[in-house]
Amino acid sequence: MSTTAITPMDGPLGAVLTGIDLHAPLSDDDRATVRRALADRLLVSFPDQHLSLPEEERFAASFGPLWMHPAARHGDAAASVVDSRRAPRAGKAAEVWHADATFTVNPPAYTMLSAQVLPEHGGATSFANQQLAWDHLDPDWRRHLEGLRAVHAPGPMMLRRAPGLGEVLHPVVRVDGTTTRRSLFVNPGFTRRFEHQSTVESRPTLGYLFRVGLDPSVRLDYAWQPGDLVVWDNRSLLHRAHHDTGDDARVLTRVTVAA
């Protein structure tokens, strides 16, 4: 039997978890180990798993109901295939820093990607730790932000696919229900303005928060390896894709878990 090991990644977030075979159902102990690693490091990589999409969905369901995307075009809205050769405009949108679906009332708790086909070069995914970004703010900024809410909304392409979507309000400061740690909860992809302020009035403060939230000191660039499964806390990390693979394919399968 393999021994479970958690090795923190170099940098402000992330851990590598080995010794668990994700092809089999998780034991209660293994599920608790994964949850602890996510709470502590916000992102967990499981190397060399080579999961099928049904196996990825089964693993995801160990942590809660699967989240259904309101703009999904197919029957299984909980899962999707991210292929760099398709939908180039969607690929460009994914290059903008964001957390998944903050334009919904209840964004997903966890997002996971499984590497299916990787390019010879490029194709990394970058992550930014918004708990650490909060820690970097001085006390005056923290006091100013407590109690503020921001407007999140989808972009035009998303609205064409799901015209029923609109603006939602979220607190600018999120408190984790497990660890009670605070984090910034704004992102360049979907945060438009502050409540009771115009876009123009909001721009200076949002711009500052984005700079703090994306400072190199809070970021990790993840270079994919064949068979990797990566799971992260969607509410505490921002992420962006790097579409720098040329004509080479980069195919990942994605499943999200509801909050």
Side-chain angles (χ1 to χ4, degrees):
M1 180 179 294
S2 299
T3 301
T4 302
I6 301 172
T7 306
M9 297 179 187
D10 292 334
L13 62 106
V16 178
L17 202 161
T18 55
I20 299 177
D21 181 5
L22 302 186
H23 296 271
L26 283 183
S27 67
D28 290 343
D29 286 346
D30 286 343
R31 184 182 301 108
T33 296
V34 176
R35 285 193 179 277
R36 284 195 301 270
L38 280 168
D40 183 41
R41 296 294 291 173
L42 305 178
L43 177 149
V44 178
S45 171
F46 300 85
D48 203 29
Q49 292 287 336
H50 300 276
L51 297 183
S52 66
L53 185 52
E55 288 171 330
E56 185 180 353
E57 289 182 294
R58 182 182 64 193
F59 171 75
S62 300
F63 299 95
L66 300 188
W67 185 82
M68 304 297 178
H69 199 295
R73 293 175 173 172
H74 45 79
D76 187 359
S80 60
V81 178
V82 183
D83 189 334
S84 62
R85 299 165 298 183
R86 299 198 318 232
R89 290 176 63 186
K92 288 296 182 183
E95 288 191 297
V96 178
W97 285 98
H98 65 287
D100 285 339
T102 62
F103 51 79
T104 60
V105 174
N106 293 304
Y110 303 115
T111 300
M112 57 190 68
L113 290 172
S114 178
Q116 305 295 328
V117 179
L118 295 177
E120 193 170 333
H121 303 289
T125 303
S126 292
F127 297 90
N129 184 338
Q130 300 307 285
Q131 291 182 355
L132 192 55
W134 169 259
D135 293 343
H136 287 178
L137 291 170
D138 67 40
D140 287 342
W141 266 107
R142 294 183 196 176
R143 283 191 291 270
H144 173 67
L145 296 174
E146 289 281 8
L148 291 184
R149 297 196 298 178
V151 174
H152 296 240
M157 183 173 65
M158 191 73 68
L159 284 173
R160 285 194 294 273
R161 292 169 56 187
L165 292 171
E167 295 183 342
V168 299
L169 285 167
H170 290 298
V172 172
V173 183
R174 179 182 174 271
V175 181
D176 187 274
T178 301
T179 66
T180 71
R181 288 199 63 182
R182 281 168 162 74
S183 62
L184 288 177
F185 197 69
V186 294
N187 68 85
F190 302 123
T191 308
R192 309 304 181 201
R193 58 183 176 84
F194 294 107
E195 187 180 24
H196 307 309
Q197 292 187 21
S198 68
T199 301
V200 173
E201 291 169 329
S202 302
R203 191 171 294 148
T205 299
L206 278 180
Y208 173 70
L209 296 182
F210 294 158
R211 289 193 296 274
V212 173
L214 300 175
D215 188 85
S217 64
V218 306
R219 289 181 358 209
L220 172 81
D221 294 333
Y222 187 84
W224 292 91
Q225 299 298 318
D228 281 354
L229 176 77
V230 173
V231 185
W232 67 90
D233 184 338
N234 179 62
R235 302 153 301 179
S236 300
L237 298 183
L238 302 185
H239 66 281
R240 68 177 291 261
H242 292 261
H243 288 276
D244 54 359
T245 62
D247 294 330
D248 289 349
R250 174 186 180 269
V251 181
L252 310 171
T253 50
R254 176 174 56 208
V255 181
T256 45
V257 178

